Amino acid sequence: MKTAPLLGLAALQLLIIAWVHNPFASAAKDEAPWLTDLTADALLIEDGEGSTRRLERTEDSWTLQPEGLPADSTKLERLLSRLEALSPAQPLATSEGAAKRFAVDETAGFERRVTLTADGERQTFLLGRSQGPRHSALRWDGDRAIYRVALTTADWPVTVEGWLDRALLAVPEETQGALTVGSTAVGEDEDQAATLRQRLGALRVTRLATEAEQGEADDLAVLTVDTSDGETLTLRFARLGPDDSPTGYLVTSSARPESFYLAPYQGRPIVDAMATLGPKP
C-alpha cells in the first residue's frame, strides 16, 4: 500500500537531482557580467567589408571621429549599459568550424568587430549571424566559446548617420533670445512666433547633405537667433525639388561647417513657420 507514495518521492528526488546537475539549466544566472564597472573612452566598430566607425568620449559626451560631429550620447550610453549587463550562458559552440558557421571568425569573416577602450585597456568581441529576433552570436577575442546574446548588428552601425546626434542644430526654447527671419525681426506678440520657437527647439536633421544636393538646392530663408550665452547663430535653409512638392531641405548653421539634409516632414514645418513671419531673402 505504501509503494505509490515511495515511488512518487523517489521520482521527485530524481527530478531535483536532474535540475541541479543539468548543464543547460540557468547556472549562468550566478555568473558575473563580462564587463563590470566599464567606463569606455573610445569605441571602434568594424564590419566585414572593411568599413569602420570610431567614437570617442569627450567629458560627458561622445563624438564621431574623424568628422568631429556630436554623436547621440544617450543612444550610445544605453547600448553600453546593455553590453555591460551581459553575462556568460551556456555556449552555443566552441569549435573553430562553429566560429566560421556563426560568422564570428577573425579570418573567415564576421558581421561586426567591436573594440572598447577604457584607460588604455581593450576589450574586443565579434558579433555574427542572427540567432533569432534581436539576438546574435557573439565571441570574445581570445575565447573559443560562442554565445547567443541580445545584441544585433543594427545596434552597431558603421555609418555617420547611425550615430549622429540629430538634434545638433536645435536651439532649446529656454536659450532662445531675439529671432530674425531675413531682415525682419520677429515680434513676441506675433501668432507664429511661438510656433517658430517650438519648431526651432525641435529641429532634427536626417543626415549630412551630399555635394550634389548642395549644388541643386534653392535658397529659401535665413533665420538668425540670439542665444542666452551671448552667441548669434545663423541658420540658412534651402529647398530640394519643386516648390509644391519638395524632396527635402538643406540647413547650415554658423556653428558648424557642414550642410545637413532634412526630410520633407522635418524641414517643411519650420520653413512654413518662417514664411509667415518674414520675406524671402
Side-chain angles (χ1 to χ4, degrees):
M1 298 294 291
K2 296 181 180 181
T3 303
L6 290 174
L7 288 174
L9 181 59
L12 178 60
Q13 290 175 329
L14 288 173
L15 285 172
I16 293 173
I17 292 170
W19 182 83
V20 169
H21 294 281
N22 181 8
F24 297 99
S26 54
K29 290 182 179 179
D30 297 327
E31 295 283 353
W34 279 304
L35 304 173
T36 55
D37 300 323
L38 174 73
T39 304
D41 48 50
L43 186 67
L44 178 64
I45 308 166
E46 305 166 85
D47 69 10
E49 304 300 321
S51 297
T52 64
R53 173 53 45 204
R54 182 172 178 82
L55 299 105
E56 293 182 358
R57 187 193 296 274
T58 55
E59 296 182 356
D60 295 328
S61 61
W62 288 82
T63 59
L64 292 99
Q65 297 299 335
E67 296 83 2
L69 288 162
D72 187 338
S73 296
T74 300
K75 170 183 175 179
L76 182 49
E77 291 295 346
R78 287 176 179 171
L79 183 58
L80 290 176
S81 294
R82 288 170 52 198
L83 181 62
E84 291 170 29
L86 296 177
S87 59
Q90 184 68 25
L92 296 172
T94 57
S95 69
E96 182 178 341
K100 297 177 181 178
R101 188 168 66 253
F102 285 105
V104 288
D105 184 87
E106 288 277 5
T107 304
F110 53 85
E111 298 292 331
R112 293 289 188 274
R113 177 167 53 201
V114 180
T115 301
L116 301 101
T117 303
D119 295 327
E121 296 186 7
R122 293 184 177 183
Q123 297 279 359
T124 299
F125 66 86
L126 300 176
L127 206 60
R129 294 196 173 95
S130 171
Q131 299 301 308
R134 300 294 302 164
H135 285 73
S136 299
L138 176 146
R139 183 176 69 80
W140 289 95
D141 184 40
D143 187 356
R144 295 180 58 184
I146 302 166
Y147 301 94
R148 180 179 183 267
V149 297
L151 295 172
T152 70
T153 56
D155 294 324
W156 306 91
V158 293
T159 61
V160 170
E161 291 74 23
W163 295 105
L164 181 66
D165 179 2
R166 300 182 190 280
L168 81 169
L169 298 187
V171 183
E173 287 189 67
E174 63 271 17
T175 69
Q176 297 175 22
L179 301 181
T180 304
V181 178
S183 59
T184 304
V186 177
E188 291 303 319
D189 57 345
E190 296 187 59
D191 293 339
Q192 292 298 319
T195 299
L196 178 57
R197 290 186 181 280
Q198 291 169 0
R199 292 175 181 177
L200 177 59
L203 182 63
R204 299 293 184 272
V205 304
T206 304
R207 54 172 172 77
L208 288 168
T210 65
E211 290 186 8
E213 289 170 336
Q214 295 177 55
E216 297 169 3
D218 296 320
D219 292 339
L220 283 179
V222 177
L223 174 62
T224 304
V225 188
D226 292 336
T227 66
S228 58
D229 59 5
E231 288 187 284
T232 297
L233 299 175
T234 300
L235 299 175
R236 298 180 180 275
F237 292 83
R239 185 191 67 247
L240 291 169
D243 182 53
D244 58 348
S245 58
T247 57
Y249 298 86
L250 301 190
V251 59
T252 59
S253 170
S254 57
R256 297 210 57 87
E258 306 89 358
S259 180
F260 296 89
Y261 172 84
L262 306 175
Y265 76 91
Q266 294 171 313
R268 190 63 178 263
I270 192 168
V271 167
D272 286 350
M274 285 188 290
T276 65
L277 291 167
K280 296 181 180 179

